[in-house]
Amino acid sequence: DAGITQSPRHKVTETGTPVTLRCHQTENHRYMYWYRQDPGHGLRLIHYSYGVKDTDKGEVSDGYSVSRSKTEDFLLTLESATSSQTSVYFCANSDPGQGNYEQYFGPGTRLTVT
Amino acid sequence: AQKVTQAQTEISVVEKEDVTLDCVYETRDTTYYLFWYKQPPSGELVFLIRRNSFDEQNEISGRYSWNFQKSTSSFNFTITASQVVDSAVYFCALSGKNRDDKIIFGKGTRLHILP
């Protein structure tokens, strides 16, 4: 168990409002990831981080930004939420430098943009 | 390019039957990693197994077993004597050996175990 928590677990927001989702890990895993999961699309990578202040884009990064100021926290921000960003968001971590290539996932955040 | 194909979108079996979930992958890497994840109706994603490309030994864990065959680029997952609690979506996934290699997930197979 990689000890990942996500907050909030559920959120309803209005179109055009900013939203920040938080991911917290209890390990010192170097890599952290944000995915979204939608019916018919499976899991899609939004952004990932390979260290403090080191981030990069995934396949669906438009409309999202991330920050990682501490090893344990990885924030996902929707600057101006749109209805197309209604989804379930998962955070994950891994530590391939230590041989831990598998990713462990948090419980997910269900975001609804009205 | 890397790709993972789970051709079975949905499977239904009666409890206590054995069921095999298929996974076929494509990669040009000589070293890679394969994974299976389970997503039960409650929604969390649970890591089940990682298999390294240089280790083709089959793995058994209780009622779960995995058959890795490089010759056919397959990493199939069998549940023996299925139970209702096995009902879930199962994802097969692939990554390269480099630290920045992403995990590529298949679309998943939804498994229904009927009582």
Side-chain angles (χ1 to χ4, degrees), chain A residues 30-31 35 37 40-41 43 45 48 50 90 96-97 99-105, chain B residues 33 35 37 39 43-45 47 50 91 95-100 102-103 105 107:
Chain A
R30 183 178 173 191
Y31 281 71
Y35 291 88
Q37 185 177 34
H41 293 277
L43 280 161
L45 181 65
Y48 70 100
Y50 48 96
F90 287 97
N100 299 320
Y101 290 88
E102 61 272 15
Q103 293 182 11
Y104 292 93
F105 286 81
Chain B
Y33 301 90
F35 313 87
Y37 287 83
Q39 188 172 39
E44 70 270 27
L45 281 155
F47 166 71
R50 180 189 79 196
F91 294 94
S95 79
K97 67 177 177 63
N98 298 314
R99 289 177 296 179
D100 285 340
K102 315 297 181 295
I103 286 188
F105 287 87
K107 296 293 187 186

Side-chain angles (χ1 to χ4, degrees), chain B residues 41-111:
Chain B
S42 52
E44 70 270 27
L45 281 155
V46 180
F47 166 71
L48 295 178
I49 189 172
R50 180 189 79 196
R51 180 51 92 206
N52 307 331
S53 58
F54 45 85
D55 181 3
E56 284 194 74
Q57 276 193 333
N58 290 331
E59 178 99 7
I60 297 175
S61 176
R63 297 183 296 106
Y64 294 175
S65 62
W66 291 269
N67 184 337
F68 175 33
Q69 291 196 340
K70 290 178 76 171
S71 61
T72 55
S73 297
S74 65
F75 186 43
N76 296 337
F77 174 28
T78 297
I79 301 175
T80 302
S82 60
Q83 300 177 1
V84 172
V85 293
D86 296 326
S87 296
V89 180
Y90 291 87
F91 294 94
C92 180
L94 163 73
S95 79
K97 67 177 177 63
N98 298 314
R99 289 177 296 179
D100 285 340
D101 286 338
K102 315 297 181 295
I103 286 188
I104 307 299
F105 287 87
K107 296 293 187 186
T109 296
R110 184 176 298 276
L111 177 63

